[in-house]
Amino acid sequence: RVLLTLRDALQTAFNTFGLSRQYPRRPSFEPDKFVPSSLLQKSSPIPIEVHDTQGSDQSCSVSEPPPYPFPNMTVYRLMTWMNSGSHQKSQTEVMRLVRDVIQSEDFNRKDLDGFSVRRCLHALDNHTTNKESAVFPDDWVETDVNIDIPTKSKDDQSQSFSVSGFHYRPLVAVIHSAFADIQANAFHLFPFKRLWKDPLDNQEQRVYDELYTSNSWLEAQDDLQRQPKESGCSLERIIVGLMFF
């Protein structure tokens, strides 16, 4: 008995930057195709010449003043805040800040006079929330957790402490929620190899950037496709990547 595995491989053309994608199996859709043009920069900042007013021939190039390239100072300050300081601010979190905080009807800028993050966090730590006041969705599970605390001496037995009211969410529920969100349309569900072609000698090199371009993801996807399919199921089978912090 011989098992023959057919692969409908696909490699895209090299773009302006010399990058190409090599799919071991033809993907059913391209998520980057649905990125609206409004999120892409249409042009680079145009330098303007500033001449010395003292009569010298020296001049320097500077970018246009704020709020360029944004429509107003509000958007300018928001984007400046997003792209400075900590790198933990994602586009999704910035949109949530705008939608759930700044654009909220009960948001009042004057309420922030004298605001202190440390003082508010201290008030939260000292606030005793009873069990009835905390509301969790149905897919959260409540349980008690026992924690073994070691003692100073390695010869003494550790002491066990019980923490009640611990809530956690099963990973299956987290995955289901992520794929039910509209942002799932931008997920790369099919791994591929990213290649770069040298414009001088046309030599191709492998580029490693995202998780779905790694060998581990490609191998896991290949192993999944080799497994028997569920009876009566015609849905595509993909790998879900989870990142834990």
Side-chain angles (χ1 to χ4, degrees):
R1 183 182 180 183
V2 178
L3 296 178
L4 181 61
T5 302
L6 299 178
R7 294 188 178 183
D8 186 14
L10 171 68
Q11 180 171 343
T12 63
F14 288 92
N15 60 18
T16 306
F17 302 99
L19 296 174
S20 172
R21 298 178 182 179
Q22 187 180 81
Y23 290 90
R25 290 178 174 83
R26 184 179 297 269
S28 59
F29 79 103
E30 169 54 53
D32 292 343
K33 180 180 179 181
F34 303 99
V35 177
S37 58
S38 59
L39 297 180
L40 303 177
Q41 184 170 338
K42 298 180 179 179
S43 61
S44 302
I46 302 176
I48 59 176
E49 295 291 333
V50 179
H51 297 276
D52 190 358
T53 58
Q54 302 300 323
S56 64
D57 296 333
Q58 296 181 352
S59 63
C60 59
S61 297
V62 298
S63 299
E64 294 186 23
Y68 179 85
F70 307 107
N72 51 62
M73 285 302 299
T74 300
V75 177
Y76 174 84
R77 293 188 182 279
L78 180 66
M79 296 304 297
T80 302
W81 170 82
M82 173 184 171
N83 295 317
S84 61
S86 172
H87 297 287
Q88 301 296 326
K89 295 170 292 201
S90 64
Q91 296 182 21
T92 303
E93 289 300 307
V94 174
M95 288 302 302
R96 192 168 67 88
L97 170 66
V98 174
R99 181 178 61 253
D100 298 344
V101 179
I102 300 178
Q103 292 183 336
S104 179
E105 294 182 357
D106 55 0
F107 179 80
N108 189 349
R109 195 178 79 174
K110 294 183 179 180
D111 293 340
L112 297 178
D113 293 344
F115 171 76
S116 169
V117 175
R118 178 177 297 181
R119 184 169 60 251
C120 291
L121 291 177
H122 183 70
L124 279 177
D125 294 336
N126 294 334
H127 178 67
T128 56
T129 305
N130 55 37
K131 183 178 180 181
E132 290 73 16
S133 63
V135 179
F136 289 87
D138 295 336
D139 54 357
W140 286 72
V141 180
E142 180 180 1
T143 186
D144 296 337
V145 178
N146 295 323
I147 303 177
D148 293 331
I149 306 298
T151 59
K152 295 181 179 180
S153 175
K154 63 179 181 179
D155 299 328
D156 296 337
Q157 189 175 3
S158 60
Q159 299 182 5
S160 180
F161 292 88
S162 179
V163 180
S164 60
F166 179 80
H167 289 76
Y168 71 94
R169 194 180 187 189
L171 288 180
V172 175
V174 176
I175 296 172
H176 183 273
S177 176
F179 277 83
D181 192 274
I182 190 174
Q183 296 187 32
N185 294 328
F187 290 173
H188 282 269
L189 306 180
F190 305 95
F192 57 86
K193 291 182 180 179
R194 195 185 302 276
L195 305 175
W196 176 74
K197 179 184 289 188
D198 193 321
L200 300 179
D201 55 13
N202 289 330
Q203 293 292 325
E204 297 182 5
Q205 298 182 17
R206 179 83 178 272
V207 178
Y208 299 90
D209 48 2
E210 303 289 351
L211 288 176
Y212 44 80
T213 64
S214 64
N215 288 332
S216 298
W217 199 307
L218 287 164
E219 294 171 0
Q221 179 74 4
D222 188 62
D223 293 340
L224 176 62
Q225 302 305 319
R226 294 177 183 272
Q227 297 180 11
K229 294 184 177 181
E230 294 289 338
S231 177
C233 180
S234 60
L235 298 176
E236 292 181 295
R237 297 178 296 172
I238 61 171
I239 297 295
V240 175
L242 303 177
M243 299 182 65
F244 299 95
F245 299 91

